[in-house]
């Protein structure tokens, strides 16, 4: 039995493209995920976010659902092409009105609004102009952030600039598994830098435009690499550099790691980094958002046997590991979730301890953690004990880290409801609430009931 401290925030997370639907309503423009999902062969079953969980049209009922679960915080993302279609000029009043209603609805129910400004849905027009490998995209993001915070920044408790920029850069421009589906290592590294820059340029804009002194954060997805052989130290170091330190070091320390520069020297000359960029990227933040799902096991490929690539990011034509394509990702030991990701709560505890050690003074918040399982509905009920167990064990690991002195402020489960899981379409269900995509009926799963109980009793 563990005790969840009273001031430890418990909530749930979603993202705009994954739940909202209403892709063509009220002036929303196209994003790279509309284009990508509508391109044959890019997503499972050709699924798109056109309708998703229809959250845009079911806002009030979904807010009531959050209240019935007793959520203390709700992390959502703002769709850039909904509030600023085409990424130019003044905001779309109808798009803003939706998020304004969402924020007001949360506050009226006593739920803290945690708003992410970018969860992967880049306006298509910006991709057409070069996308994240183009420097101008960072400037445009900062402008969009400023305008958005001007209209919502009297009520939002926490702003997050970017969600998982690693995925945007390396899955989007390197592997091609995510939108926009490009496969160019140099472009991926340029995208990485411009995402870091976008974050750094947006932070002061958010502080300037807000009228309620919100917390400002970025959310990173951490890879926890394990050695897959006796001599895997170098492979672990390389993946840690590309996956983790490529963002934590510039954002929290104002520099790119030397080893990352060396590892990628054959891919790019890094000319995209200009004088003054790193100081901007290191603008102080109040909280670091941590997304954690599983570990990876790596080793150097021997160059002879077929190379294995179980990095958890699915099959793709390109690589998300520019300059380190020779690192092998070995199959993960079980047990695993429906994503094929291994279940390792201890690694979350280890990660939190490491972040506290390497970046002291940076408060942490688990902004995503959760699991997909193939749920079944029996007599109107979803007995998802595996998901319940997953959440309880990861929450316990987080509390252990906190008891060991890590300043971790809360835990937001991914996800409030089943949704469009990017390249996997609707084949993977992460919700603590089930969504029936034919009827849009919501059913609180057993994991959701248990989560509500945890929030209330605060004992694990
Ligand atoms: C994360 C994403 C989130 C969701 C989960 C399963 O990488 O931020 O949108 O897809 O994975």
């Amino acid at each position: 039995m563990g005790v969840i401290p009273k001031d430890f925030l418990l909530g749930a997370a979603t993202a705009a493209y994954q739940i909202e639907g209403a892709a063509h309503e009220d002036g929303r423009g196209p994003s790279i995920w509309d284009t990508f999902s509508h391109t044959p062969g890019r997503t499972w079953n050709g699924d798109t976010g056109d309708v998703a969980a229809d959250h845009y049209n079911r806002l009030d009922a979904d807010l009531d659902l959050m209240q019935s679960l007793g959520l203390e915080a709700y992390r959502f993302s703002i769709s850039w092409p909904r509030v600023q279609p085409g990424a130019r000029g003044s905001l779309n009043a109808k798009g803003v009105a939706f998020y304004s209603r969402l924020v007001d609805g949360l506050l009226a129910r006593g739920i803290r609004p945690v708003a992410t400004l970018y969860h992967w849905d880049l306006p298509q027009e910006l991709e057409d102009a070069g996308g994240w490998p183009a420097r101008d995209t960072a400037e445009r993001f900062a402008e969009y952030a400023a305008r958005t915070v001007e209209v919502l920044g009297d009520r939002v408790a926490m702003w997050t600039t970017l969600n998982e920029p690693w995925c945007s850069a390396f899955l989007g421009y390197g592997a091609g598994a995510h939108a926009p589906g490009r496969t160019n290592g140099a472009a991926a590294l340029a995208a990485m830098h411009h995402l870091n820059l976008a974050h750094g340029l947006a932070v002061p804009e958010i502080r300037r435009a807000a009228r309620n002194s919100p917390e400002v954060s970025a959310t990173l997805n951490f890879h926890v690499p394990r050695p897959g052989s006796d001599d895997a130290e170098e492979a672990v170091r390389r993946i840690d550099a590309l996956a983790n330190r490529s963002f934590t070091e510039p954002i929290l320390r104002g520099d790119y790691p030397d080893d990352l520069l060396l590892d990628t020297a054959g891919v790019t000359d890094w000319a995209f980094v200009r004088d003054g960029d790193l100081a901007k990227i290191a603008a102080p933040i109040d909280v670091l958002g941590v997304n954690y799902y599983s570990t990876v096991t790596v080793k150097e490929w021997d160059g002879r046997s077929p190379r294995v690539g179980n990095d958890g990011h699915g099959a793709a034509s390109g690589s998300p590991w520019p300059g380190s394509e020779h690192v092998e990702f070995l199959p993960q030991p079980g047990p695993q979730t429906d994503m094929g990701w291994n279940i390792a709560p201890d690694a979350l505890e280890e990660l939190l301890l490491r972040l506290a050690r390497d970046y002291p003074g940076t408060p942490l918040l688990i902004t995503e953690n959760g699991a997909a399982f193939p749920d079944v509905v029996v007599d109107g009920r979803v007995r998802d004990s595996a998901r319940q167990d997953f959440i309880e064990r990861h929450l316990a690991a987080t509390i252990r880290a906190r008891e060991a002195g890590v300043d971790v402020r809360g835990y937001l489960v991914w996800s409030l409801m089943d949704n469009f899981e990017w390249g996997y379409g609707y084949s993977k269900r992460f919700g603590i609430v089930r969504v029936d995509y034919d009827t849009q009926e919501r059913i609180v799963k057993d994991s959701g009931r248990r989560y509500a109980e945890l929030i209330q009793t605060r004992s694990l």
Side-chain angles (χ1 to χ4, degrees):
M1 282 287 266
V3 172
I4 307 171
K6 279 229 150 26
D7 62 345
F8 184 87
L9 211 58
L10 290 170
T14 62
Y17 190 69
Q18 295 180 274
I19 64 165
E20 284 178 6
H24 307 291
E25 283 173 47
D26 292 341
R28 177 184 175 282
S31 85
I32 55 175
W33 268 98
D34 293 292
T35 308
F36 188 77
S37 65
H38 279 274
T39 305
R42 291 301 204 172
T43 65
W44 181 86
N45 194 39
D47 286 352
T48 75
D50 284 3
V51 177
D54 198 30
H55 172 68
Y56 190 78
N57 294 306
R58 291 164 198 272
L59 179 59
D60 292 328
D62 285 342
L63 283 163
D64 288 344
L65 185 64
M66 294 179 215
Q67 186 176 31
S68 75
L69 292 169
L71 298 188
E72 296 171 332
Y74 174 59
R75 172 179 183 248
F76 59 96
S77 82
I78 294 172
S79 159
W80 186 351
R82 196 182 288 292
V83 302
Q84 196 190 34
R88 261 184 206 286
S90 56
L91 299 188
N92 169 27
K94 288 188 172 161
V96 171
F98 171 73
Y99 294 106
S100 196
R101 273 208 301 134
L102 167 58
V103 169
D104 287 343
L106 291 169
L107 293 173
R109 290 166 181 80
I111 305 169
R112 282 169 73 90
V114 176
T116 302
L117 285 158
Y118 185 74
H119 199 127
W120 305 354
D121 42 1
L122 187 73
Q124 181 60 43
E125 293 82 351
L126 282 190
E127 175 57 25
D128 297 341
W132 284 112
R135 188 178 174 92
D136 184 53
T137 302
E139 309 274 352
R140 310 308 297 276
F141 175 75
E143 191 216 298
Y144 147 71
R147 287 180 187 259
T148 303
V149 178
E150 269 157 26
V151 290
L152 296 172
D154 52 343
R155 290 161 284 163
V156 169
M158 179 188 287
W159 288 99
T160 304
T161 52
L162 307 175
N163 173 71
E164 302 193 353
W166 183 86
C167 293
S168 300
F170 294 101
L171 296 181
Y173 294 89
H178 278 189
R182 289 206 241 162
T183 53
N184 180 309
L189 287 158
M192 171 206 70
H193 179 64
H194 296 138
L195 282 150
N196 277 326
L197 184 63
H199 160 80
L201 294 175
V203 170
E205 294 294 335
I206 295 170
R207 293 200 198 282
R208 183 190 53 72
R211 272 156 290 148
N212 62 342
S213 46
E215 293 180 305
V216 182
S217 66
T219 276
L220 303 177
N221 58 307
F222 288 91
H223 286 74
V224 182
R226 307 286 203 201
S229 67
D230 291 344
D231 53 358
E233 212 175 297
E234 165 79 358
V236 167
R237 182 198 60 68
R238 279 176 170 270
I239 297 311
D240 179 52
L242 263 177
N244 303 325
R245 288 184 283 118
S246 49
F247 295 95
T248 51
E249 291 289 310
I251 291 176
L252 299 170
R253 290 213 182 119
D255 228 339
Y256 282 108
D258 289 342
D259 59 335
L260 176 68
L261 303 183
L262 283 172
D263 292 346
T264 55
V267 183
T268 176
D269 60 7
W270 285 76
F272 44 73
V273 181
R274 298 201 189 148
D275 281 356
D277 283 2
L278 283 156
K280 292 184 182 121
I281 293 170
I285 55 173
D286 305 308
V287 173
L288 178 67
V290 175
N291 290 1
Y292 168 79
Y293 288 94
S294 63
T295 65
V296 287
T297 303
V298 299
K299 74 176 183 54
E300 301 268 335
W301 181 43
D302 64 11
R304 295 185 303 275
S305 44
R307 188 152 51 104
V308 281
N310 288 62
D311 63 8
H313 301 298
S317 50
S319 168
W321 308 107
S324 291
E325 293 91 348
H326 58 285
V327 172
E328 281 199 298
F329 289 77
L330 305 181
Q332 290 293 353
Q336 300 182 346
T337 69
D338 199 25
M339 295 294 284
W341 298 345
N342 63 313
I343 301 174
D346 290 359
L348 172 58
E349 184 179 359
E350 178 188 310
L351 170 66
L352 294 172
L353 289 165
R354 174 193 172 183
L355 289 171
R357 186 191 66 223
D358 291 354
Y359 308 104
T362 305
L364 307 173
L365 174 70
I366 308 294
T367 37
E368 283 181 31
N369 174 249
F373 288 107
D375 303 319
V376 283
V377 186
V378 180
D379 298 332
R381 186 160 166 197
V382 181
R383 292 181 165 81
D384 58 337
S385 53
R387 182 176 294 104
Q388 180 177 318
D389 182 64
F390 183 101
I391 294 170
E392 287 183 36
R393 288 170 63 208
H394 286 78
L395 196 45
T398 308
I399 298 296
R400 282 199 302 276
R402 183 169 151 124
E403 284 166 356
V406 177
D407 184 3
V408 52
R409 305 262 169 107
Y411 175 97
L412 308 180
V413 70
W414 184 272
S415 177
L416 172 65
M417 63 179 104
D418 292 339
N419 58 53
F420 174 79
E421 179 46 36
W422 309 112
Y424 297 88
Y426 298 100
S427 67
K428 306 295 177 196
R429 292 181 175 272
F430 275 91
I432 56 171
V433 173
R434 181 183 176 86
V435 174
D436 178 325
Y437 295 112
D438 294 326
T439 62
Q440 293 296 347
E441 186 197 359
R442 275 74 163 138
I443 299 175
V444 177
K445 302 179 191 177
D446 279 9
S447 59
R449 297 182 190 197
R450 174 67 181 138
Y451 198 57
E453 186 181 81
L454 282 174
I455 297 174
Q456 222 174 27
T457 62
R458 313 205 74 88
S459 67
L460 269 167

